[in-house]
Structures are given as structure tokens and as C-alpha cells.
Amino acid sequence: GAVVSQHPSRVICKSGTSVKIECRSLDFQATTMFWYRQFPKQSLMLMATSNEGSKATYEQGVEKDKFLINHASLTLSTLTVTSAHPEDSSFYICSAQDRGRTGELFFGEGSRLTVL
Amino acid sequence: GDSVTQMEGPVTLSEEAFLTINCTYTATGYPSLFWYVQYPGEGLQLLLKATKADDKGSNKGFEATYRKETTSFHLEKGSVQVSDSAVYFCALIDSGYSTLTFGKGTMLLVSP
């Protein structure tokens, strides 16, 4: 089946630094990718929708200058958490929509960010 | 480990038909259970949830009851509409963990 890979799966960083998380569709082209955030023991929260070659669409309340999303190719989207603070510690998940299979959605494994 | 199994799709129905999408799970603890929906061209949205046995989650005419004895959380709706066409994901959070485990999703197609 289709695979979406996220990297890194875990990252620990110091407060004030920036962290980049990659989301790759390994065997299909994804014109649309989605970024989610999950707080401990809570549901997923959609952060933004990323379309290849255009600016991401952010959900209300999500700071676009803090969470930079780039979708430069049909197989790669990146989320950069800029000037990270401890409250940004969370589990970030991406999903990719396979344009060749009526929009079927596949999830990455997730990336756990811990900001010290 | 934890797992969620959903019936394979697509499920094809006529408008006003009754819908059931089966979901069963395995978990080591006492999970919370969720149904998410993805409409065409959009991201995932939480549809409903249940946090303990015998709880019933409901939203937009959809219902699901947490059945511990059968480890199931089947999604139902009495009368589907064309606008319900989407992909539905069953998911759980185990009590001992903090991350979601998703099923593979079931596509629902409703025709007029």
C-alpha cells in the first residue's frame, strides 16, 4: 500500500531554535498534504493544508509565521517550527492525499517534538 | 500493540439509506474511541468520540456506541445524504499512551 514517511520521528531541541519536520509520499504523488497537531491524550487538530506549489492554508488560531509550511514538490512537504518554545512540544502528524486514487488519504508515522 | 480494523470500502448507498461502517479494535488498556471524517479536498475532522464503555458519541446524525464486550465502535446513520460522501476513519487512544492509532479508512459514496 501507499506509504507516507515522516522524519524525524523524535526530536529534542532547545528553546529558541527552529526544527524542520519532513513529510514524504514514497510511492505516489500528493498534490495536497495536511499537517496536524496532537496534544497528549487528545484528538488531532488540523493545522494547515499544503498544496504543491502554492502557499499553505492555515486553520484559525494557527500562527503561520511560527509554523512554516513548504510544499515544493509532489512528494515532499516540510513543517518548520520556528523559535520553538516548550509549549510547542507536541506530536505532529502529516497526511498526504493521493491524487491518483480518488483522493485517498495516507498518514505519516508522526513526529514527537520536545522543546526544553 | 494497538490496532483498529475497519470494513473495506467503498460503501455505495443511495440517498436516505441506512449506513453502518464497522470498526473493531484491540488495545492493551482502556482506550478512547473516535470517528474522523475527511470530505473531498479537505483535511481530517473529528466527527464524534466516546471515552468509556457504553458511551454513545453522536454528531450530525451519526452515532457510534463504545462496546467493550465486542471491542467495537460501529458508525451508524439512519438516513445518509449525498453530502455525507467522504472517507471515514476509526481511531483510538489507548489509556497508557498519548498518540492516535487509525484504521485505514472507509470511503462512503452516496448517490442521489
Side-chain angles (χ1 to χ4, degrees):
Chain A
V3 176
V4 174
S5 176
Q6 264 183 259
H7 178 81
S9 58
R10 292 179 180 271
V11 56
I12 301 172
C13 69
K14 293 182 179 181
S15 186
T17 61
S18 294
V19 174
K20 181 184 285 187
I21 301 170
E22 293 186 347
C23 179
R24 292 182 184 273
S25 56
L26 299 185
D27 56 356
F28 65 95
Q29 292 183 330
T31 50
T32 305
M33 290 185 173
F34 304 91
W35 286 96
Y36 305 86
R37 181 174 181 177
Q38 190 204 352
F39 294 97
K41 300 191 177 184
Q42 295 186 28
S43 304
L44 283 180
M45 179 191 78
L46 178 65
M47 298 174 66
T49 302
S50 168
N51 292 298
E52 186 264 338
S54 63
K55 291 183 179 180
T57 302
Y58 289 82
E59 296 298 302
Q60 192 172 11
V62 178
E63 299 176 63
K64 61 180 67 177
D65 294 330
K66 180 160 192 65
F67 299 100
L68 300 179
I69 292 172
N70 183 277
H71 192 162
S73 77
L74 285 171
T75 59
L76 173 64
S77 177
T78 60
L79 167 68
T80 301
V81 183
T82 63
S83 187
H85 291 282
E87 58 264 31
D88 299 325
S89 299
S90 194
F91 191 67
Y92 294 88
I93 306 174
C94 74
S95 65
Q97 198 158 31
D98 185 346
R99 69 175 185 175
R101 295 189 223 194
T102 64
E104 193 170 354
L105 195 67
F106 299 94
F107 287 91
E109 312 95 321
S111 301
R112 178 160 300 286
L113 170 63
T114 302
V115 184
L116 303 177
Chain B
D2 297 344
S3 68
V4 176
T5 303
Q6 289 180 238
M7 61 189 291
E8 288 193 19
V11 173
T12 305
L13 295 173
S14 297
E15 207 165 20
E16 299 184 2
F18 185 87
L19 168 71
T20 299
I21 300 178
N22 290 338
C23 171
T24 57
Y25 66 90
T26 58
T28 54
Y30 300 94
S32 296
L33 303 174
F34 305 83
W35 276 101
Y36 285 84
V37 59
Q38 181 211 356
Y39 296 103
E42 299 182 15
L44 215 60
Q45 303 173 27
L46 179 65
L47 180 61
L48 54 84
K49 67 178 182 181
T51 57
K52 61 182 188 295
D54 298 326
D55 270 2
K56 177 185 284 188
S58 61
N59 185 25
K60 298 181 181 181
F62 291 89
E63 293 183 340
T65 302
Y66 189 141
R67 302 286 189 198
K68 186 178 178 183
E69 63 275 15
T70 54
T71 61
S72 65
F73 192 54
H74 303 323
L75 182 68
E76 297 182 336
K77 187 173 185 181
S79 176
V80 294
Q81 305 300 313
V82 173
S83 57
D84 294 326
S85 297
V87 181
Y88 293 82
F89 292 85
C90 186
L92 68 83
I93 296 177
D94 204 331
S95 57
Y97 302 90
S98 60
T99 57
L100 281 162
T101 299
F102 281 91
K104 293 186 176 181
T106 303
M107 179 174 286
L108 170 65
L109 299 172
V110 181
S111 57

